[in-house]
Amino acid sequence: MSIQIDEFSLAVSEILDGYAEDIQEAVAQAVEETGTKALKTVKAKSPVRKGKGGGRYKKGWRIKKERSGVLGTQAQVTVYNKTDGPLVHLLENGHQKAGGGRVEGIPHVRPAYEEAERLLPELTARAIEEAGER
């Protein structure tokens, strides 16, 4: 492939634009993958009440994936509990009992957050490296 000197800047610009789009898409996929893994972790570590109706809290975890920006290349992921949202804070951090005493917290959101915090930079770096190889 030969390029005329006056077309060189246009050719380089097109290559760089394609590379930038590849990276944006790869990073968006890394964000979504990280959110999915965080959801699995929080579900696995969520407490389950004994007796009838147990497991409702654990089954209530959902993930909301949103894409925005030009060509939908910016991703945002939210992990939330649809059925028992107000309980998340109480179960994670513990709370006072009505008759006195305290219920200890059961960490299940924090481990998922820490795993996602560790995983996202790894996946992002890998995505950038692989985008350069295409």
Side-chain angles (χ1 to χ4, degrees):
M1 173 172 115
S2 66
I3 299 174
Q4 298 298 324
I5 194 70
D6 55 334
E7 298 171 353
F8 180 73
S9 65
L10 180 62
V12 170
S13 177
E14 288 175 1
I15 291 170
L16 291 176
D17 286 345
Y19 178 69
E21 288 173 11
D22 288 348
I23 287 178
Q24 287 175 334
E25 180 59 31
V27 169
Q29 289 176 355
V31 168
E32 290 176 353
E33 183 180 341
T34 301
T36 301
K37 289 187 180 193
L39 176 67
K40 288 180 182 177
T41 301
V42 79
K43 271 189 173 184
K45 295 183 179 285
S46 287
V48 178
R49 182 186 340 181
K50 295 176 182 149
K52 187 177 181 181
R56 177 183 150 165
Y57 176 77
K58 185 175 189 169
K59 293 175 189 173
W61 288 103
R62 302 284 188 274
I63 188 168
K64 180 179 179 183
K65 298 178 182 179
E66 296 178 80
R67 290 268 186 134
S68 62
V70 178
L71 303 174
T73 54
Q74 295 176 342
Q76 179 178 346
V77 176
T78 305
V79 177
Y80 66 100
N81 194 301
K82 183 176 181 175
T83 58
D84 297 300
L87 284 179
V88 175
H89 176 77
L90 297 173
L91 293 173
E92 178 77 12
N93 300 315
H95 57 89
Q96 292 294 118
K97 296 194 300 190
R102 181 160 182 80
V103 175
E104 289 300 316
I106 303 167
H108 55 288
V109 177
R110 175 60 60 184
Y113 173 81
E114 289 171 352
E115 179 186 13
E117 191 175 44
R118 177 193 54 76
L119 184 63
L120 185 58
E122 292 174 13
L123 292 177
T124 302
R126 188 179 319 142
I128 292 170
E129 288 173 9
E130 290 173 0
E133 296 172 0
R134 293 181 193 148

